[in-house]
Amino acid sequence: MELRVRDRTYVDEAARKNWGALHKVEVLAELIRAEVTARASSPRSSVIRRIHKIMSQTAVVERELIAEVCGQLEKEGDFTSSSGGVLHAAPVRFVQLEETRFRIFASLPTARFTPGISDCIRPVGISRVLTLDGQQSILFKEEGGRLGGLVLSPQEWAGFATQPRADESWLQLLEERLKWLPEGAGSLERDGNLDWRGLVVSDAGSKFLGKAGTSARLWRAKSHSGRWLWVWATPNQTPCTGSFLTLNSDEAARTLFSLARTLEKPTILKLNRGLEQTTLELDSWLPRAE
């Protein structure tokens, strides 16, 4: 065996040949998928640290960008996660958008699919879309069986059948949880006062205001570490003066729409039609399933 010492240029060119432009989010996404798949389970911080160390040998990529892409993949469903920030490899799921178009959700990197399928996969940002023709549809069925993948409708993937409706029943569930699992007034302010803002729903839309008064039930504040906190408060109290229930961001989004619906103050959507594309603007985050 002959050993050779290669210079930095050779390494850079080899990396670009295998992965493409390393600063692009779709390439970062593939590297992160490959890392999580190879280890099956790994702390999020370790994944980010290892990818940053690998990338620093061939390209200048900020650690924050790697963390952002990793978070997007986790939110999209390419990974599953557990307490302590541990990421787990996720099974392959093909969500059917059209007759021959599928959105891929999986930690498996594109290169691990068979060539007949991987050649038909196109990145759309961090997402991946598979578009087939007649002959490739046969290969697709074989590939799905080999990988243990499932083909799902968008409704099945979103989990509409198992998610609560954003209406009065969801608010009643929050009241029951508040009754059984209350948290003490001011218990989130151990490190200092927080700037709590309450949700106000009106004909003009839904907004979080610092002068919301004690009539607000849904409150939010940014923690001292920069993370958003969401709570469902006791009637006529703020999170500083009364007990409350801590919510995650998805529960908070569902609560916002439930309040707007109950008060008959629907959230306003703006439709902008252009020559080449049409956009729909919404001033609040949708719940994840929706």
Side-chain angles (χ1 to χ4, degrees), residues 73-95:
L73 289 171
E74 183 181 353
K75 185 176 181 179
E76 289 280 329
D78 279 16
F79 310 136
T80 59
S81 58
S82 59
S83 59
V86 179
L87 300 179
H88 307 279
V92 178
R93 297 293 181 261
F94 301 97
V95 177

Side-chain angles (χ1 to χ4, degrees), residues 16 42 113 130 143 146 176 183 213 232 245 273 290:
R16 281 193 292 271
S42 181
F113 290 84
L130 171 66
E143 181 79 340
R146 181 180 74 85
E176 290 298 316
E183 300 171 55
W232 178 252
L245 174 72
R273 296 184 183 275
E290 282 77 0

Side-chain angles (χ1 to χ4, degrees), residues 166-199:
D167 57 16
E168 180 64 30
S169 61
W170 171 252
L171 300 179
Q172 291 175 355
L173 177 61
L174 292 183
E175 295 288 39
E176 290 298 316
R177 289 171 57 186
L178 177 59
K179 184 186 302 181
W180 289 100
L181 299 169
E183 300 171 55
S187 57
L188 292 176
E189 303 187 75
R190 300 182 185 90
D191 297 326
N193 294 335
L194 298 175
D195 181 22
W196 289 104
R197 294 175 179 267
L199 178 69

Side-chain angles (χ1 to χ4, degrees), residues 6-25:
R6 298 291 191 179
D7 59 22
R8 177 65 177 268
T9 302
Y10 176 88
V11 176
D12 291 348
E13 290 177 353
R16 281 193 292 271
K17 182 178 179 180
N18 285 319
W19 295 100
L22 297 179
H23 64 280
K24 292 186 176 180
V25 294

Side-chain angles (χ1 to χ4, degrees), residues 113-129:
F113 290 84
T114 56
I117 296 300
S118 62
D119 292 342
C120 302
I121 297 174
R122 295 291 180 267
V124 182
I126 65 165
S127 305
R128 292 178 292 178
V129 174

Side-chain angles (χ1 to χ4, degrees), residues 12-232:
D12 291 348
E13 290 177 353
R16 281 193 292 271
K17 182 178 179 180
N18 285 319
W19 295 100
L22 297 179
H23 64 280
K24 292 186 176 180
V25 294
E26 53 265 34
V27 175
L28 287 177
E30 284 292 279
L31 288 170
I32 296 170
R33 289 189 190 104
E35 175 71 18
V36 174
T37 297
R39 298 180 183 273
S41 296
S42 181
R44 183 188 301 107
S45 57
S46 297
V47 171
I48 295 169
R49 183 180 67 253
R50 285 193 290 264
I51 294 297
H52 184 253
K53 183 177 181 180
I54 293 170
M55 298 290 287
S56 65
Q57 304 301 314
T58 58
V60 178
V61 179
E62 296 294 333
R63 186 188 183 100
E64 290 73 18
L65 178 58
I66 300 172
E68 180 182 345
V69 173
C70 185
Q72 290 176 348
L73 289 171
E74 183 181 353
K75 185 176 181 179
E76 289 280 329
D78 279 16
F79 310 136
T80 59
S81 58
S82 59
S83 59
V86 179
L87 300 179
H88 307 279
V92 178
R93 297 293 181 261
F94 301 97
V95 177
Q96 191 164 15
L97 307 177
E98 298 174 12
E99 184 65 27
T100 58
R101 290 183 70 244
F102 302 83
R103 167 79 158 83
I104 299 176
F105 294 92
S107 56
L108 195 70
T110 302
R112 294 284 296 276
F113 290 84
T114 56
I117 296 300
S118 62
D119 292 342
C120 302
I121 297 174
R122 295 291 180 267
V124 182
I126 65 165
S127 305
R128 292 178 292 178
V129 174
L130 171 66
T131 304
L132 306 172
D133 60 23
Q135 181 61 35
Q136 292 162 338
S137 296
I138 299 174
L139 293 174
F140 171 64
K141 292 179 180 179
E142 296 175 353
E143 181 79 340
R146 181 180 74 85
L147 298 173
L150 293 178
V151 177
L152 304 172
S153 69
Q155 293 81 3
E156 289 172 326
W157 169 252
F160 280 160
T162 59
Q163 292 296 321
R165 287 172 58 85
D167 57 16
E168 180 64 30
S169 61
W170 171 252
L171 300 179
Q172 291 175 355
L173 177 61
L174 292 183
E175 295 288 39
E176 290 298 316
R177 289 171 57 186
L178 177 59
K179 184 186 302 181
W180 289 100
L181 299 169
E183 300 171 55
S187 57
L188 292 176
E189 303 187 75
R190 300 182 185 90
D191 297 326
N193 294 335
L194 298 175
D195 181 22
W196 289 104
R197 294 175 179 267
L199 178 69
V200 175
V201 180
S202 66
D203 291 331
S206 303
K207 296 182 179 181
F208 285 89
L209 302 176
K211 298 180 180 180
T214 57
S215 60
R217 299 298 307 278
L218 180 63
W219 295 77
R220 77 174 184 183
K222 188 166 286 190
S223 70
H224 296 290
S225 62
R227 180 171 60 90
W228 281 109
L229 303 172
W230 310 85
V231 304
W232 178 252

